[in-house]
Amino acid sequence: MADFVRTLSRDVLNTGPKGAETREWLVANGLGGYASGSVSGAVTRRYHGLLIAALPAPLGRVLMLSQLSDVVIDADGRSYRLSSRDTGGDPAGDDSEGGEAGQEGQTAALQEFRMESGLPVWRFRAGGAVIEKQVVLPHGQNIVHVTYRVMETKAPVKLHLRPVLAFRTQESAVDRPLAGDYRITAAGQRYEVSAGPDLPVLRMAIEGGHFPMTLDGGIRRDVYYRVEDERGYQARGSLWTPGYFSGEVGSGQSITFAAATEDWWRLEALPPQDVLVFETERRRRIIQNAHPALRDGAMAELVLSADSFLFVPAGRVADQMRARAEGDEVRTVIAGYHWFTDWGRDTMIALEGLTLATGRHLEAGWILHTFGHYIRDGLIPNMFPDGKDRGLYHTADATLWFFHALHRYLGATGDRDTLRLLLPKLTDVIDHHRRGTRFGIGVDPRDGLLRQGQEGYQLTWMDAKVDDWVVTPRRGKAVEINALWYNALRLMAGWLREEDGEAAARPLTELADQAHASFNARFWCPSAGHLFDVVDGEHGDDIACRPNQIFAVSLDHPVLERERWEPVVETVRSRLLTPLGLRSLAPGCRDYKAKYFGDLRARDAAYHQGTVWGWLIGPYVDAWLKLHPEDKAGARRLLEGFLPHLDEAGIGTISEIFDAEAPFTPRGCISQAWSVAEVLRCWVKTES
């Protein structure tokens, strides 16, 4: 177990509220739901909560339980609150609750915070008592357990637990709950909170002791969400509490607060101690099944982080029924926490690192089958909006990444049945791209290159859009789109040759040859010494120095001629490489932004204009090793900058993006699938 524990240093915990408040933890439930919060306990985001349940469409992910305000009262009557003030650090806020359960008291000393097998544990000293608190989500269930263990005390302490809630979808503004009125009912030690026939019931109980609930009138509390304020969103909202549980706990004893949207029979099926044992064992097996290079230290933590992205989409019930009728299962990938759903592009890029490197080959196949079913008009979905059961298809590259993901899957498994199942669909994809499909995506018959673009849409991975403003439209023939197109043609030709013979492969081989010749004639910019980012664009050829050119070298079938690999890789190394990935635009270029901050418009203006993306370290490592195949040690050093980051932002995981310049402050999602996946994949690849 010691290898799978990350403990925050005292230096971090002792830097005041900001040290613990800016670090966040997250536990996922395998359905798309999760629990997450700051280490300090302050609620700073709309996404913080102990139970964000994944529910069928049209609800999607719904915040059910925001907090559990916890107060310890010792034998002398002194009270200590375990969590930080609910105001999220707002000096003007007031979270006083009144009554015995809300005695202000003092904040207990946070002695330690650790992620133990990916599960958060706090250790507090409250006067003469030492208390540990742990959060567990049973896998595959919308249930949360919060366990309190009294590790040391001379006399029993009294523990007050006040559930604080506001039923709202996770994307709703914090002042817009789904209901205005709540109703609580009790039957023995079972309690249910309801808010109307169209919303789920929240069920609550205490296991392990006599903890009756005192109803004190449904207190509402104003909360200030600091991070939402910084991001330009509504930052003040009300939370509701029905009352508080109260009881005594002695040394060596523990009690568990359990809450769920599941039925009582599920909530009570296993005692909390068994849930913890089984969930810990599940996580041990996940690590044991991973590649040997990933079974200890920081990589073991990232294997557990990888698990958080793989999920059964609870909202898409019809898809689950269809798949199971076919003897299959639906699996997909959450692109990032807290706000992303499953995205086709992110899923295909991350598939190798999340599943193949971690020994989850069966689930990799399910993911490919799932997205194969979603193909429409030659495209896989760009993304599924939260609470919807139909995807949006505005993407030019996600479908091309599907070929790459399938190739890596076949290399790891040799699963020809999946190839044969998908080949007719992939043939249809190629045909649609040759004829032209939606959003202006299609082959230019004059040169065999793939063009894309439609007014008002952002079709490449550089997809920031604010209202009607597409920040980096890149309409025309984008460099990575054509690198992916060429790679897909070569892969498809190979598969058809293996299955149906040379005659079946010949048309694609000829198209690939044409694309190769045209790419090398059109994309090389002699004056810059690197590749154009877009040719035949709205304003001609775009000379901006971006990381997209690295894919012309890094993919399994590189489209760029060998003699130009070195200048491209050197340009990326000297102008774009950082310890945490590649910049999205080189310093000195027009529109370059050194920092990603401010409201939505300001952030999206910087999203792909310099901001560092962690996932891009993967293709850079691939390209580096093509040039320097003997230098695995040097390639491994490119990954080491991520190791200190595991103590920042999302504990034990990797953020989505970083500022373009030192100190490379983490930004965006605290935990991003392709960031984690590419570090895992490349760690295996650079194993000596």
Side-chain angles (χ1 to χ4, degrees):
M1 284 296 297
D3 287 340
F4 317 133
V5 175
R6 174 165 295 272
T7 302
L8 286 188
S9 70
R10 289 293 183 92
D11 290 341
V12 169
L13 297 179
N14 292 337
T15 53
K18 292 296 183 183
E21 193 175 291
T22 59
R23 271 78 175 177
E24 299 174 62
W25 57 271
L26 184 140
V27 183
N29 68 2
L31 299 174
Y34 60 90
S36 182
S38 66
V39 169
S40 74
V43 176
T44 64
R45 297 184 188 268
R46 74 176 97 171
Y47 308 99
H48 282 171
L50 286 171
L51 181 59
I52 293 88
L55 302 170
L59 288 172
R61 289 180 286 185
V62 176
L63 173 70
M64 302 297 296
L65 177 65
S66 175
Q67 300 169 269
L68 194 58
S69 291
D70 34 25
V71 176
V72 174
I73 301 176
D74 66 15
D76 297 324
R78 293 171 299 192
S79 61
Y80 300 85
R81 67 173 62 245
L82 301 185
S83 299
S84 178
R85 296 177 64 84
D86 306 324
T87 52
D90 180 16
D94 179 16
D95 65 338
S96 175
E97 296 165 348
E100 184 185 7
Q103 293 180 26
E104 195 69 18
Q106 58 183 303
T107 301
L110 177 56
Q111 293 188 314
E112 181 181 274
F113 175 83
R114 64 185 186 271
M115 296 292 284
E116 192 170 280
S117 290
L119 301 173
V121 181
W122 295 257
R123 177 179 283 244
F124 300 96
R125 178 166 287 279
V130 176
I131 297 170
E132 285 198 346
K133 171 182 174 181
Q134 184 170 38
V135 175
V136 180
L137 273 65
H139 192 70
Q141 305 294 329
N142 287 308
I143 298 173
V144 63
H145 287 174
V146 185
T147 296
Y148 296 83
R149 304 182 187 93
V150 178
M151 312 300 290
E152 175 186 324
T153 185
K154 292 181 179 179
V157 297
K158 185 176 287 187
L159 188 60
H160 291 300
L161 303 177
R162 179 182 288 278
V164 185
L165 52 93
F167 296 178
R168 62 170 172 81
T169 60
Q170 70 157 11
E171 289 296 341
S172 297
V174 295
D175 62 345
R176 296 178 188 172
L178 294 172
D181 295 312
Y182 299 91
R183 179 179 180 181
I184 184 164
T185 58
Q189 298 301 305
R190 292 175 167 184
Y191 299 87
E192 296 185 351
V193 178
S194 58
D198 297 327
L199 294 173
V201 171
L202 180 68
R203 296 174 174 87
M204 302 182 296
I206 299 283
E207 301 286 340
H210 180 61
F211 271 69
M213 189 176 199
T214 299
L215 302 178
D216 58 5
I219 295 170
R220 289 187 176 271
R221 306 193 287 170
D222 289 328
V223 177
Y224 169 71
Y225 299 80
R226 177 184 56 79
V227 175
E228 299 304 310
D229 197 0
E230 293 171 357
R231 290 166 57 83
Y233 297 114
Q234 173 62 36
R236 291 190 179 275
S238 295
L239 299 174
W240 182 82
T241 174
Y244 61 91
F245 297 91
S246 181
E248 286 192 342
V249 189
S251 183
Q253 295 180 329
S254 65
I255 63 100
T256 297
F257 171 87
T261 60
E262 309 290 353
D263 292 331
W264 281 111
W265 67 269
R266 288 186 183 272
L267 180 57
E268 298 175 341
L270 292 172
Q273 59 269 29
D274 287 355
V275 170
L276 176 60
V277 168
F278 295 150
E279 180 60 20
T280 300
E281 181 57 29
R282 187 185 75 85
R283 291 164 178 261
R284 282 200 184 100
R285 287 198 302 271
I286 287 170
I287 293 169
Q288 289 168 358
N289 289 337
H291 187 280
L294 307 177
R295 291 177 186 167
D296 56 32
M299 292 304 111
E301 294 177 81
L302 290 181
V303 168
L304 294 178
S305 179
D307 176 65
S308 71
F309 302 111
L310 302 173
F311 79 110
V312 178
R316 303 204 286 274
V317 177
D319 284 349
Q320 294 183 50
M321 294 175 66
R322 171 199 52 79
R324 287 170 182 168
E326 296 172 350
D328 217 339
E329 291 285 344
V330 175
R331 287 293 187 280
T332 183
V333 172
I334 289 279
Y337 290 100
H338 301 89
W339 46 84
F340 283 121
T341 58
D342 45 335
W343 287 61
R345 174 190 306 113
D346 301 56
T347 297
M348 296 306 134
I349 291 171
L351 182 135
E352 183 177 3
L354 296 186
T355 61
L356 302 180
T358 61
R360 303 176 74 155
H361 301 80
L362 184 61
E363 288 169 279
W366 290 340
I367 290 169
L368 292 169
H369 296 174
T370 296
F371 276 87
H373 173 75
Y374 293 144
I375 291 173
R376 301 287 185 275
D377 301 320
L379 302 173
I380 69 170
N382 184 42
M383 54 89 72
F384 285 85
D386 211 359
K388 305 292 184 182
D389 54 11
R390 294 180 182 273
L392 304 178
Y393 284 79
H394 54 292
T395 173
D397 56 348
T399 312
L400 303 178
W401 279 112
F402 189 96
F403 290 81
H404 169 83
L406 176 59
H407 173 60
R408 295 297 176 88
Y409 170 76
L410 294 173
T413 67
D415 180 4
R416 305 299 291 188
D417 289 338
T418 288
L419 174 63
R420 292 170 187 136
L421 175 70
L422 293 175
L423 264 181
K425 297 175 182 290
L426 297 182
T427 299
D428 182 65
V429 166
I430 297 292
D431 289 344
H432 269 88
H433 281 68
R434 295 180 69 176
R435 296 194 308 265
T437 185
R438 301 166 64 184
F439 309 110
I441 301 168
V443 172
D444 184 340
R446 296 170 298 178
D447 58 15
L449 295 176
L450 196 63
R451 58 192 173 192
Q452 56 81 31
Q454 182 173 318
E455 188 72 29
Y457 287 93
Q458 67 285 26
L459 301 180
T460 73
W461 80 273
M462 292 188 159
D463 56 1
K465 181 181 178 183
V466 184
D467 298 323
D468 294 328
W469 176 36
V470 177
V471 182
T472 48
R474 305 179 73 233
R475 290 190 282 270
K477 298 167 184 173
V479 62
E480 83 281 7
I481 299 297
N482 280 282
L484 286 163
W485 173 238
Y486 175 79
N487 189 61
L489 290 172
R490 290 295 188 202
L491 292 174
M492 191 65 178
W495 294 330
L496 288 175
R497 185 178 297 110
E498 293 164 2
E499 293 296 318
D500 301 322
E502 184 61 39
R506 189 172 299 117
L508 297 190
T509 300
E510 293 171 354
L511 189 56
D513 290 342
Q514 182 189 17
H516 182 272
S518 298
F519 184 96
N520 285 280
R522 296 296 315 283
F523 275 94
W524 179 251
C525 179
S527 62
H530 61 73
L531 300 180
F532 286 111
D533 190 56
V534 177
V535 300
D536 293 345
E538 298 170 287
H539 307 292
D541 298 342
D542 185 359
I543 200 173
C545 182
R546 295 189 182 275
N548 305 306
Q549 61 189 300
I550 200 69
F551 295 103
V553 180
S554 67
L555 291 169
D556 291 310
H557 292 278
V559 67
L560 187 63
E561 292 174 344
R562 174 63 179 80
E563 60 266 26
R564 289 176 175 161
W565 288 5
E566 190 164 356
V568 165
V569 173
E570 173 57 24
T571 294
V572 173
R573 186 202 66 78
S574 62
R575 302 187 66 186
L576 301 174
L577 181 64
T578 78
L580 291 156
L582 302 184
R583 295 184 180 96
S584 47
L585 183 66
C589 290
R590 189 187 66 183
D591 298 325
Y592 173 76
K593 303 288 191 301
K595 290 187 176 182
Y596 174 91
F597 69 100
D599 63 15
L600 180 60
R601 189 174 185 86
R603 296 196 312 276
D604 277 352
Y607 204 33
H608 301 107
Q609 305 286 42
T611 297
V612 172
W613 289 75
W615 77 276
L616 290 173
I617 199 63
Y620 182 78
V621 166
D622 292 336
W624 179 262
L625 287 174
K626 283 191 174 181
L627 280 173
H628 310 282
E630 75 292 343
D631 188 23
K632 287 189 175 182
R636 171 65 65 85
R637 285 194 294 272
L638 296 169
L639 306 174
E640 291 175 355
F642 290 95
L643 302 183
H645 171 61
L646 301 189
D647 275 342
E648 301 179 311
I651 304 302
T653 187
I654 301 176
S655 296
E656 176 189 11
I657 52 177
F658 305 83
D659 282 346
E661 296 176 7
F664 305 109
T665 302
R667 308 284 190 179
C669 284
I670 65 167
S671 184
Q672 192 77 1
W674 56 11
S675 300
V676 171
E678 285 295 84
V679 170
L680 286 171
R681 179 181 70 83
C682 291
W683 198 269
V684 172
K685 185 168 185 173
T686 57
E687 181 76 358
S688 299

